[in-house]
């Protein structure tokens, strides 16, 4: 056990046991004080790191003298300073693909819940307000045969399109940085500019990566283009959307409803969104099933071991430099 690995978040118990059998393992424990100070100390002689949900950059990694790899138990990597990692020749690995189907399932959960007012009417029923047959005041919207606009036709976006096209008979529109004719052909999807998609879609799902192009992609001007019956869903990153503009669009019924799994600040404990009945708010659970989290943890472990054993990891974010 001549190599040391720092575990910087909660990790599947079986995967942690595998790590402990192969490496010296050090755990970051928020109960023991400042997390960044713990990381600074623990990475001084660490070869690898594994975990998720922490900001890792020069501030808390500058003491690392032999760090070779950070294996993130996530597909997104906006928590990591990629430029700094590249400058220090530190691999960054992630866990794409294994969460694609689960996250697409959640997108449709949010679409259905928002369109049919599931959480609102659940509270209404439990509050003893169901005293007669429901009337127009409780009506929702159909999803089948409607137009679904997907912003970001990557793996998750394509999985959402598949569900909409084959499962609900929806007309698929998409906007992407580049057209994807081969993927689009499978779902008879039509490429649109962003304004076109917003104007034409009954349901709008954001499934883009967070980058310089997508930050604050949807704001006041974009909500103004949406139809009054539009349902807006965000499963990407909170920073893709101007939350204040979204709150106003919901308050003024500029759009019908929204379904959210991500927010500009997480964990979200206070928000005007919580006071609105026409929004479904979930606590960033896109990949949060036992089966998928297990697969993610296993892939992250495999990536870590591959790099520390001197071979190429299955999922590498930054193969931008010569590691030899």
């Amino acid at each position: 056990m001549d190599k040391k690995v720092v575990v910087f978040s909660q990790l599947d118990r079986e995967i942690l046991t595998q790590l402990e059998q192969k490496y010296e393992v050090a755990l970051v424990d928020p109960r023991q004080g400042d997390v960044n100070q713990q990381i600074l100390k623990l990475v001084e002689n660490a070869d690898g790191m594994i975990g998720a949900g922490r900001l890792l950059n020069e501030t808390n990694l500058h003491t690392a003298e032999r760090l070779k790899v950070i294996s993130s138990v996530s597909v997104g990597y906006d928590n990591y300073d990629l430029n700094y990692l590249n400058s220090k020749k530190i691999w960054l690995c992630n866990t794409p693909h294994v969460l694609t189907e689960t996250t697409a399932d959640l997108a449709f959960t949010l679409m259905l819940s928002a369109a049919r007012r599931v959480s609102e009417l659940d509270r209404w029923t439990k509050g003893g307000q169901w005293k007669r047959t429901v009337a127009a005041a409780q009506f929702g919207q159909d999803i089948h045969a409607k137009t679904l606009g997907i912003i970001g036709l990557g793996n998750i976006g394509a999985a959402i399109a598949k569900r909409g096209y084959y499962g609900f008979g929806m007309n698929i529109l998409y906007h992407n940085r580049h057209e994807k004719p081969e993927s689009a052909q499978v779902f008879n999807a039509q490429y649109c500019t962003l304004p076109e998609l917003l104007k034409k879609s009954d349901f709008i799902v954001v499934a883009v990566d967070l980058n310089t192009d997508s930050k604050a992609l949807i704001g006041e001007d974009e909500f103004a283009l949406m139809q009054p019956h539009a349902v807006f869903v965000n499963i990407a990153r909170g920073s893709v959307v101007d939350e204040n503009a979204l709150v106003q669009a919901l308050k003024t019924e500029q759009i019908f409803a929204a379904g959210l799994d991500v927010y500009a600040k997480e964990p979200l404990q206070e928000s005007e969104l919580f006071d609105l009945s026409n929004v479904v708010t979930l606590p960033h659970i896109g990949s949060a099933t036992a089966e998928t989290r297990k697969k993610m943890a296993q892939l992250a472990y495999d990536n870590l071991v591959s790099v520390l054993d001197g071979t190429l990891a299955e999922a590498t974010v930054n193969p931008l430099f010569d590691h030899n």
Side-chain angles (χ1 to χ4, degrees):
M1 293 187 182
D2 57 339
K3 293 178 180 176
K4 176 182 174 181
V5 171
V6 174
V7 178
F8 59 91
S9 70
Q10 288 187 338
L11 194 63
D12 179 87
R13 182 68 245 180
E14 291 183 15
I15 299 300
L16 183 59
T17 299
Q18 290 180 48
L19 282 171
E20 290 171 339
Q21 291 172 346
K22 191 173 180 66
Y23 305 113
E24 176 190 347
V25 173
L27 304 177
V28 173
D29 185 353
R31 296 170 298 181
Q32 300 302 315
D34 186 88
V35 167
N36 286 325
Q37 288 301 315
Q38 291 183 58
I39 291 173
L40 279 169
K41 182 65 177 177
L42 294 175
V43 298
E44 287 179 358
N45 59 346
D47 301 278
M49 300 180 72
I50 185 171
R54 300 282 181 206
L55 292 173
L56 295 180
N57 50 38
E58 183 175 8
T59 301
N60 52 19
L61 294 179
H62 68 265
T63 56
E65 297 181 357
R66 67 186 200 205
L67 188 64
K68 190 174 183 182
V69 57
I70 299 172
S71 187
S72 185
V73 192
S74 67
V75 63
Y77 48 89
D78 46 288
N79 278 343
Y80 308 95
D81 186 339
L82 201 55
N83 290 330
Y84 178 72
L85 298 184
N86 285 340
S87 72
K88 295 298 181 179
K89 296 190 175 183
I90 299 169
W91 285 107
L92 176 63
C93 303
N94 66 343
T95 58
H97 310 307
V98 293
L99 51 68
T100 296
E101 300 298 334
T102 300
T103 307
D105 284 349
L106 186 74
F108 260 87
T109 299
L110 286 167
M111 285 173 59
L112 287 161
S113 297
R116 296 303 299 269
R117 302 169 62 179
V118 170
S119 59
E120 176 190 356
L121 294 178
D122 173 67
R123 292 191 298 271
W124 183 82
T125 303
K126 290 174 178 175
Q129 297 182 67
W130 185 22
K131 298 175 182 178
R132 58 185 62 87
T133 302
V134 296
Q138 288 79 47
F139 287 176
Q141 295 188 41
D142 287 331
I143 287 184
H144 63 271
K146 295 292 185 69
T147 296
L148 169 59
I150 301 171
I151 304 172
L153 198 67
N155 292 322
I156 294 172
I160 294 167
K162 178 178 70 175
R163 285 157 173 74
Y165 184 68
Y166 291 109
F168 291 85
M170 302 182 84
N171 173 42
I172 308 298
L173 307 179
Y174 79 98
H175 177 73
N176 207 66
R177 280 185 290 181
H178 308 288
E179 290 192 48
K180 292 194 168 184
E182 291 184 5
S183 298
Q185 186 177 7
V186 178
F187 317 112
N188 196 28
Q190 177 186 346
Y191 176 81
C192 296
T193 65
L194 182 58
E196 287 174 332
L197 181 146
L198 298 176
K199 290 176 183 178
K200 294 178 179 179
S201 298
D202 302 304
F203 294 86
I204 298 160
V205 179
V206 181
V208 296
D209 294 331
L210 180 61
N211 52 50
T212 53
D213 293 330
S214 65
K215 193 167 185 179
L217 182 67
I218 306 296
E220 183 179 352
D221 292 342
E222 287 69 33
F223 285 115
L225 294 175
M226 298 179 193
Q227 302 183 67
H229 64 265
V231 173
F232 176 78
V233 171
N234 187 13
I235 56 159
R237 283 290 187 268
S239 299
V240 172
V241 178
D242 180 338
E243 275 183 20
N244 289 329
L246 172 59
V247 167
Q248 290 307 310
L250 291 166
K251 274 185 174 181
T252 61
E253 298 183 355
Q254 190 171 33
I255 61 174
F256 180 76
L260 307 174
D261 188 44
V262 290
Y263 311 89
K265 180 182 179 181
E266 297 181 5
L268 186 64
Q269 297 183 321
E270 293 183 10
S271 174
E272 286 187 81
L273 291 166
F274 297 162
D275 299 325
L276 303 176
S277 62
N278 57 343
V279 58
V280 180
T281 50
L282 296 181
H284 203 152
I285 60 168
S287 64
T289 67
E291 301 94 332
T292 295
R293 287 293 174 88
K294 183 78 172 181
K295 291 175 184 175
M296 291 170 67
Q298 185 62 59
L299 177 55
Y301 171 84
D302 293 342
N303 288 335
L304 179 84
V305 172
S306 293
V307 174
L308 293 183
D309 283 354
T311 58
L312 185 64
E314 181 177 339
T316 307
V317 174
N318 59 340
L320 305 177
F321 48 83
D322 182 4
H323 285 265
N324 296 322

